[in-house]
Amino acid sequence: MGQLRIRPLHKLSDDQFDVVQDIFEQAYPDWLRLSIDELDGGKGSDRIAVAGMFGEEPVGFAAVRVLPRSGWTFLRYFAIAGDRRREGLGRRMWTELTEYLAVNVAPRRLLWEAQLPERAAPGSPQHEARSTALAFYESIGGEVLPVHDYVMPTTLGLPAEPMLLMALDPTSPVKDPNGLVKALLSEHYGVERYEV
């Protein structure tokens, strides 16, 4: 199998961008998706959106936001093309993504929200997708933070939903989960008053 590389969305052709848009739409329901155009702020921005590429073929999509005050990077979206799953591409893209972020001045310490499998009907495609995503994140070393009753804020126009909060610090386990939640709520969502 060839080498998977990361390419910024703004460097894709229109056709490649359309493929990435399809990957994004297949992986995330409407109510959980922001416009893909809002996810990439261009060079020097704290918003970074990229495609995982095999040659000229997009096979994955990821979007992050750097949280500079806390020294973490918030993984907003991560997806592999539906017809390319179960090929080990997720792990390969994760590795390439973290390398790309390190080179482009984004901390390798990643924080993300994961949908709760139990909030989908058992046996449904959504339940399977959530369970598979959670298993993947745990397999790459992500830890579920001991933060109870975390709900994704509605400040970005998306509905509130209980979520798991996960993190991966390659150097050590997360020492202050509540501080990390406060950083996420403040730096990403703009929520200044909260209780954790």
Side-chain angles (χ1 to χ4, degrees):
M1 194 179 283
Q3 180 69 34
L4 187 144
R5 296 282 185 216
I6 297 296
R7 187 179 301 167
L9 288 192
H10 62 269
K11 293 190 175 181
L12 299 180
S13 70
D14 289 344
D15 288 343
Q16 290 168 332
F17 185 89
D18 290 345
V19 172
V20 172
Q21 179 77 44
D22 287 343
I23 292 169
F24 184 36
E25 290 176 2
Q26 288 175 18
Y28 291 92
D30 290 352
W31 63 268
L32 196 55
R33 246 186 2 249
L34 293 174
S35 164
I36 199 168
D37 296 322
E38 296 176 45
L39 299 174
D40 188 10
K43 190 171 177 73
S45 171
D46 66 349
R47 292 174 292 125
I48 302 167
V50 299
M53 305 286 294
F54 268 132
E56 296 302 306
E57 177 194 3
V59 295
F61 167 72
V64 303
R65 183 163 188 193
V66 178
L67 307 177
R69 293 191 314 259
S70 65
W72 284 78
T73 299
F74 177 53
L75 178 70
R76 300 173 80 178
Y77 299 102
F78 185 86
I80 299 297
D83 62 347
R84 299 300 302 266
R85 292 182 189 148
R86 307 223 187 282
E87 296 178 20
L89 294 178
R91 187 175 296 276
R92 292 170 69 184
M93 184 161 161
W94 185 274
T95 300
E96 292 298 322
L97 175 66
T98 57
E99 291 297 321
Y100 177 87
L101 293 175
V103 169
N104 288 280
V105 197
R108 287 179 189 245
R109 299 187 315 167
L110 288 157
L111 168 70
W112 63 94
E113 297 158 331
Q115 293 179 287
L116 292 158
E118 60 268 23
R119 293 200 40 96
S124 69
Q126 194 173 42
H127 185 274
E128 182 181 335
R130 291 176 180 206
S131 297
T132 300
L134 187 56
F136 167 74
Y137 289 133
E138 289 175 332
S139 78
I140 52 101
E143 65 178 292
V144 176
L145 298 182
V147 177
H148 303 289
D149 301 322
Y150 175 79
V151 176
M152 180 180 68
T154 59
T155 59
L156 299 178
L158 304 172
E161 168 152 351
M163 296 273 193
L164 291 173
L165 202 56
M166 300 186 74
L168 177 59
D169 182 344
T171 61
S172 67
V174 176
K175 294 177 181 61
D176 181 13
N178 288 336
L180 193 49
V181 173
K182 289 179 181 180
L184 173 63
L185 293 174
S186 172
E187 293 185 63
H188 176 63
Y189 288 108
V191 175
E192 297 298 333
R193 301 183 77 192
Y194 40 74
E195 292 180 21
V196 291

